[in-house]
């Protein structure tokens, strides 16, 4: 497994895990509380920071585990990355319509922020899935 594929797996697993924990924690408060009163900004920023930090730390650990492969990329890696990033861009572009519509409908900021957060998570996951499939099925 190339270092790029390892990083892709790390970002996919960390991104999904952090988002699931955050969304389960915050959205569990929705049935009992008015969404305008739910403090979500701090936990959301914390989850974003934890996701970035954990991704960096795990990528460093993976690079230290196989230092000869760390940082090595070839044309195949670059092409797979490009394709994955294109798909992520298109998913984000389409998914961003939802928070835009919510803002136009003057929905609570809570829902707009979470729709945008989910759009980012879906874009990153789609990008990672495309890359992993390309690595696994051959490119």
């Amino acid at each position: 497994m190339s270092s790029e594929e390892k990083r892709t797996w790390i970002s996919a697993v960390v991104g999904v895990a952090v988002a699931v924990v955050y969304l389960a924690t915050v959205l569990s408060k929705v049935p009992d509380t008015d969404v305008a009163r739910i403090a979500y900004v701090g936990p959301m920023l914390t989850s974003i920071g934890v996701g970035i930090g954990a991704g960096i730390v795990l990528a460093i650990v993976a690079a230290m585990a196989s230092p000869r492969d760390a940082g090595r990329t070839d044309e195949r890696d670059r092409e797979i990355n490009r394709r994955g990033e294109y798909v992520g861009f298109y998913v984000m572009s389409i998914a961003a319509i939802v928070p835009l519509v919510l803002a136009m409908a003057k929905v609570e900021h809570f829902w707009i922020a979470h729709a945008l957060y989910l759009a980012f998570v879906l874009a990153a996951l789609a990008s990672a899935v495309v890359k992993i499939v390309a690595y696994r099925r051959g490119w």
Side-chain angles (χ1 to χ4, degrees):
M1 182 182 306
S2 73
S3 63
E4 290 296 317
E5 185 180 359
K6 287 177 190 173
R7 277 190 239 146
T8 301
W9 274 104
I10 289 168
S11 68
V13 171
V14 168
V16 169
V18 168
V20 166
V21 169
Y22 167 76
L23 291 171
T25 303
V26 172
L27 295 181
S28 68
K29 299 174 185 176
V30 170
D32 303 330
T33 311
D34 177 28
V35 293
R37 298 185 186 275
I38 296 175
Y40 68 90
V41 175
M44 184 182 283
L45 292 174
T46 300
S47 73
I48 292 168
V50 166
I52 292 169
I56 291 170
V57 168
L58 290 173
I60 291 170
V61 168
M64 290 171 61
S66 56
R68 290 191 321 171
D69 295 336
R72 281 187 167 177
T73 60
D74 58 14
E75 186 59 37
R76 176 179 172 255
D77 290 322
R78 286 187 286 278
E79 183 63 23
I80 288 172
N81 186 59
R82 187 179 67 79
R83 295 271 178 154
E85 293 302 316
Y86 279 162
V87 170
F89 170 78
Y90 289 123
V91 169
M92 183 63 199
S93 298
I94 293 167
I97 293 170
V98 174
L100 182 62
V101 169
L102 292 175
M104 290 175 182
K106 298 184 181 173
V107 174
E108 287 286 338
H109 289 145
F110 177 89
W111 295 114
I112 297 167
H114 284 88
L116 191 56
Y117 180 78
L118 188 58
F120 279 114
V121 170
L122 291 174
L125 183 59
S127 177
V129 166
V130 166
K131 291 175 188 179
I132 290 168
V133 168
Y135 277 114
R136 291 288 145 186
R137 292 204 177 154
W139 184 261

